[in-house]
Amino acid sequence: MSNATHWWWIRHAPVTCNDGRIYGQTDHPADCSETAPFKGLAQLLPQDALWITSNLRRTRDTMEAVAPYRSSPLPVAEVVASFAEQHFGDWQGLRHDELRTRPEREAHRFWLAPAATCPPGGESFVDLMNRVSAAITDLSRQHSGRHIVVFAHGGTIRAALALALGLDPERALGFTIENCSLTRIEHWAEGETGPESWRVVTTNHDPRGYANGVKQF
């Protein structure tokens, strides 16, 4: 029998100190003053699901901003540190123009550095992909057939898409993941030892258009 595990990924709301600095795993709060995304997410997200945040405050703030617009109380969320954003080490706290002057920094069109580049004291995007993939694989097995809602980060969601599509790290960096956007992927498996596959349902979906009501999943 085939079971689909439905993953609902939401990138956190913008951070309150979004002044062009690199924040990575710096634990800033989220700016949840715009209500439309949270009203829309409350309509779109499934009622019966396992809810997860990373260990960073901005994901918890975003999750809690959905609560006033749901028809039922928020479930107790599980905290999964493996779903945190990439750690940029010594680059965290720098402005982007300051980073460009660093001798160890390589340019990248869509990200702070090529996927295999490890910032001093931090981790590479490849490292991020490895920890995110391991956590997704484990949770898909533990909660086979369920809906799993995760409030996470742009890098984390790119890593999840790379796992689903079998992409190499550099290609995964090409995805755009906006704040408060919804990305859905499904894990399909036949029993505990049978073949498995992934399906991408939507990426970077803007929930604002659903703020006035839509049938819930």
Side-chain angles (χ1 to χ4, degrees), residues 25 36 41 44 46 57 74 83 85 87 95 98 105 108 129 143 151 156 174 176 186-187 193 195 212 217:
Q25 288 194 19
L41 286 169
L44 288 168
R57 177 180 171 180
L74 281 181
F83 290 153
E85 183 58 280
H87 197 301
R95 294 191 306 272
E98 293 174 328
R105 191 258 184 174
H108 191 278
M129 281 184 56
H143 303 284
F151 291 82
T156 310
T176 296
E186 294 175 347
H187 176 260
T193 59
N212 294 324
F217 291 89

Side-chain angles (χ1 to χ4, degrees), residues 2 21 30 32 40 59 69 79 89 100 102 104 119 150 174-175 209 216:
S2 296
R21 295 184 185 273
C32 299
T59 62
Y69 310 107
V79 177
R100 286 194 289 270
R102 299 283 292 229
E104 76 279 4
V150 189
F175 281 107
Q216 292 181 322

Side-chain angles (χ1 to χ4, degrees), residues 112-131:
L112 292 180
T117 298
C118 185
E123 64 179 344
S124 68
F125 182 74
V126 173
D127 295 330
L128 168 67
M129 281 184 56
N130 289 337
R131 62 172 164 83

